[in-house]
Structures are given as C-alpha cells and as structure tokens.
Amino acid sequence: MKYVDIYGNIIESSNVDFSDINSINFEMNKKYKGTNPALNIEFSNDTKTNIKYIKKLIKLQKLNVNFMTEYSGKKIKYIISNYNDDVLIALKALFINNSKEQYIFLYDNIFKNLDNLWNQCNPCKFCNNICFASKNHKTAHKENGCCYSFDYSKNIFKFIDNVKVCKYLGKEKRCTTENISCKFFVCNYLKKNKIFNIDIKDYLLVQAFFNNKQKLILKYNYFKSKEEILEKLNEKDNTPFIIYYLFSKYRIQKI
C-alpha cells in the first residue's frame, strides 16, 4: 500500500498506519463534490477497470473535486493498493497540469513500455538484417523488415508511392527517433500465425488520457519523428470525428 500526497509524490512508508488515516472509499458511481478526506482506491487486476478508475479521477480533477487528509504532517490525497506500474505512472501524470508536458511524460512512458516488450519478446528474430517473416518469404523486401516509408498515392489506381528505407533507420539498424506508431505496428505474418500482437486498447495510459482523435494519431503516423507526433497531439481540431477519420486528418501531412 502506498499514499499519494497533494504534490503527486507516491510514497511507500512503513511509518504510516493507514487504518488511522481519515479516508473515504473510491466508488465509480458515487458523485463527489467539493473537498473530501483522502480517497482510498483499491485498483483492479483488470486493465479495463483501471482505465475507468483513472478516467474518473481525471473527471473529478476537472470538476475541482479535492481529496486531502493531514496525517503526521503529511497531506495525503490518495491511498492506493493493488496497483501496477501503469497505474503509478497514470497517477503521476494527473499532477502534470501543462498538457504539452503531460503528453511528453505519457508518450515517453508508453514508448518505453512498448520498446521493452519488443526487446523481451523479440518476435522478428532478426539475423543478418533479415526478419522472421522475410525468411519465410512473406515480405515485400528482403532486408530491414517493415522499416520502409511511403506516401499514400493520389493516383486512384495505386495505394502507395515513394517507397524507400525509412530515413530514421540508423546505420546500426536501430530507429533514431522514438516513433510510437511503429512500435504499435505488428505485421500480418506475426499476427496471423499468433506469434505476437499488440492491441492499443490494452494500454491504460493511451485509453485513459487521450481522446479518440489522439488515439488515431498515436496509432497511424508511421515513419514520423517523435516531435512531429507530439505536435500533432497538441493540435486543436474541431472536425467531427467521422469526418476526421474518413479524411485521414489524423495523419501528419508531408510538407
């Protein structure tokens, strides 16, 4: 069990008797108002449930609903249990009031999580710059796996143009920018053969903090720089979602 103070510090302390702290239990359907005692939150083993919990906390924050109990000189906001790393990161993000800084913090942590997953699972099994799918003759290119950038064609008889090795693929065959969309991409060969897959819906930090337009931005901007994607996330666009989606306004346009 840990507590979160009013400054966003997440602290585990053997000196705190949590049973002595004046607190109220977190309830999804309860309407909270004004200032309340510290909020006691038992998170779930289910990601979808935790997403709902974090969204509720975001909503309460926007409504200026406060939680705080003073205990032994400490100002405690949340008492948390049954948490995981994503929950802790989400709670830290709640205290970043600047949206640009919050997106950078979230982006970096999501990317780190994805990068670790790819490294641990190593589904592509590159050897001499040839991936697992290429060895089985299931790719358009022999080398460099999926790292080929392209432009969507304006020719109705073609789908893509200007196919070439991605400019962010470095000499050591590692990406030189932190492109989150490429990290979310899994080729059809890996998915079809049930070797490896990633579902953006399973990522608490994506689902809790980003709206539907931003989720498209995170998922579909391959071969762009981290800076370009972050700039797009901060873009204000009032286009109705269905138009935004159908006209691919979520894609970063080539200048």
Side-chain angles (χ1 to χ4, degrees), residues 87-99:
V87 166
L88 296 180
I89 292 167
L91 290 173
K92 289 180 181 179
L94 284 174
F95 289 84
I96 303 175
N97 296 320
N98 182 289
S99 62

Side-chain angles (χ1 to χ4, degrees), residues 5 15 24 28 33 39 62 65 88 90 94 101 110 127 132 157 168 188 201 206 219 227 251:
D5 68 17
N15 298 324
I24 56 175
M28 272 296 297
K33 295 181 179 180
L39 192 61
K62 289 180 178 178
V65 177
L88 296 180
L94 284 174
E101 292 178 4
I110 296 165
C127 182
F132 193 40
F157 299 105
Y168 295 112
N188 288 331
K201 294 179 181 178
V206 174
K219 189 174 181 180
E227 291 74 20
R251 298 192 193 278

Side-chain angles (χ1 to χ4, degrees), residues 84 216 246:
N84 56 33
L216 292 174
L246 290 175

